[in-house]
Amino acid sequence: MATWVLHYLLVAFLITITYSIDAASAGITRHYTFHIQLKNITRLCKTKTIVAVNGKFPGPKVTAREGDNLQIKVVNHVSNNISIHWHGIRQLRSAWADGPSYVTQCPIQTGQSYVYNFTIIGQRGTLWWHAHIQWMRATVYGPLIILPKLHQPYPFPKPYKQVPIIFGEWFNADPLAVIQQALQTGAGPNASDAHTFNGLPGPLYNCSTKDTYKLAVKPGKTYLLRLINAALDDELFFTIANHTLTVVEADASYVKPFQTNIVLLGPGQTTNVLLKTKPIHPNATFYMLARPYFTGQGTIDNTTVAGILKYHHKPTSNHFNSSKNLPVIKPSLPPINSTSYAANFTKMFRSLANSRFPANVPKTVDKKFFFAVGLGTNPCPKNQTCQGPTNTTKFAASINNVSFILPNTTSLLQSYFSGMSKKVFTTNFPSAPVFPFNYTGVPPNNTMVSRGTKVVVLKYNTTVELVLQGTSILGIEAHPIHLHGYNFYVVGQGFGNFDPTRDPKQYNLVDPVERNTINVPSGGWVAIRFLADNPGVWFMHCHIEIHLSWGLTMAWVVLDGDRPNQKLPPPPSDFPKC
């Protein structure tokens, strides 16, 4: 064969390989359609009508690979307005697809539709999607699974099977009526009636044995459990009797593997764990349990959801494949207020911080912020008796004593992009409390909060350090804080009041965990860092839904950079109108 022919074939081969690699790296476009519809469903012996997606509860699983483009058309067939948030997706230069109502968009009205169009860049793992208006995420939620790029392995043993398990809360009442009543009376909301695994409450609740989540496994196999806490208001402990779990990922970021018997997830958080089953059939079934972690003063749903882990029998001629007569092994969980376990568990998380998955934590900081997060009060309207901490006050929540008010005729992002923001928000959100106090000590006598629509403005590529400080006002409790549009590095945490001289010396700037939702410890603080490299308006809020409703939220406005690829493009043509 002539030399030039060999050369031609070699070049053609290399071009083909290069094209294949580029194509695999670039990803594909995946289309989904979400029909927002009413659905009748029975739980706890009560039938009710819920808002659901495509007639499913929980909603459909969205699956993609890193690098894929997702185009998800949401069609609203119900009387409620709706918007969907893709929790944890970076939304790089696609803020119009983030989803929180009146923050990045007006909600999708009855009979209208909107296509959420975004590309998954530099992310892989377990995330989720949920409604982001009022309390509609009580039933409108589902998993969002991002697989690695083609031919890229996991940094842990390849699992035999992958299983999403979504924790939820079930209300016999209408969740929208629950929050409306709470806001009207100023009281805490009525608690949910059950917790659920994949929408099922399980045998520890009345009339629910038939509605039990069951996970069938084979002996000697490794399963990847994708755990998602979609509960409205409860942080949850999770365990499987007589089995050890290996944590390998948090909020779609790989972590150094560590073993545990009990996992803790705040609302909004996800955790991937490896479950290695026993080498031979154990002749038993095992309870999977979840119940709350809580240190506050309010009323919560302190019940336990149970699922069942059962082993497949090898089929034999003289054995009927049934687990009905096998003993059920029950695990134990920490006390409901076990802050020590919560703190020790949280400290176990570390980024891989290797050449393939580096920890790009900012080593220097341009802007420092100190946010006090906690509860407070609003005055009761004249001629009304309220049911808050006193009969003259309503419960509220705030960051730096600012209780956030969402606009209701436009969105923050629309007003910013159109140059009309002065009519909608102000840019004077305080970088620290205006009146400092002993945050975790005896609370001040005046617990009233201010109210406003205030934001922080950041220049593009600003490096940020934010200390989130819990307070003791109306009780100490943890606050799972979620930042839209970004991941951040958790560089430090502790109990009591943050000491700006002593505590930064203990920061972990080598392999801090990377997350999108972090618990501010009960009676403590947490420090995070991030690079403001994503232009837009980004919500940051407590993912305990009642705290969000009470105003424990704020927003960051990240300005455009100088280059074309550092600017937010205009909204799509089908963008919802108010």
Side-chain angles (χ1 to χ4, degrees), residues 454-471:
K454 301 181 180 183
V455 306
V456 172
V457 177
L458 297 172
K459 291 182 179 179
Y460 187 86
N461 264 353
T462 299
T463 53
V464 176
E465 178 179 304
L466 169 62
V467 175
L468 295 159
Q469 172 71 62
T471 77

Side-chain angles (χ1 to χ4, degrees), residues 6-20:
L6 290 173
H7 177 75
Y8 172 83
L9 291 174
L10 178 60
V11 170
F13 174 75
L14 292 175
I15 290 174
T16 301
I17 292 297
T18 302
Y19 176 80
S20 298

Side-chain angles (χ1 to χ4, degrees), residues 52 129 197 227 234 286 299 384 388 399 451 472 505 530 540:
W129 57 265
F197 288 146
L227 308 179
D234 293 339
F286 304 88
T299 301
Q384 180 182 340
I399 301 177
R451 305 179 74 215
S472 60
K505 296 176 182 178
F530 64 93
M540 190 180 79

Side-chain angles (χ1 to χ4, degrees), residues 42-46 166-172 191-213 231 234-237 287-292 300-308 330 333:
T42 301
R43 295 288 186 271
L44 309 180
C45 276
K46 296 180 183 294
I166 311 179
F167 309 160
E169 284 184 83
W170 178 261
F171 291 80
N172 284 333
S192 58
D193 295 283
H195 297 105
T196 58
F197 288 146
N198 290 348
L200 300 171
L204 303 185
Y205 293 101
N206 180 46
C207 190
S208 298
T209 299
K210 63 178 177 27
D211 294 323
T212 299
Y213 174 67
D234 293 339
E235 303 193 47
L236 293 167
F237 292 115
Y287 265 154
M288 303 181 286
L289 299 182
R291 77 159 182 237
I300 67 161
D301 177 3
N302 188 22
T303 61
T304 302
V305 54
I308 293 178
K330 299 179 181 180
L333 285 166

Side-chain angles (χ1 to χ4, degrees), residues 25-26 62-70 89-90 92 118-124 127 144-147 149:
S25 177
V62 174
T63 303
R65 289 193 181 273
E66 179 185 351
D68 285 351
N69 172 254
L70 280 170
I89 293 291
R90 282 292 317 271
L92 290 164
F118 55 91
T119 299
I120 299 166
I121 302 172
Q123 293 183 277
R124 78 296 302 164
L127 295 173
L144 200 172
I145 309 302
I146 308 171
L147 302 173
K149 292 181 180 180

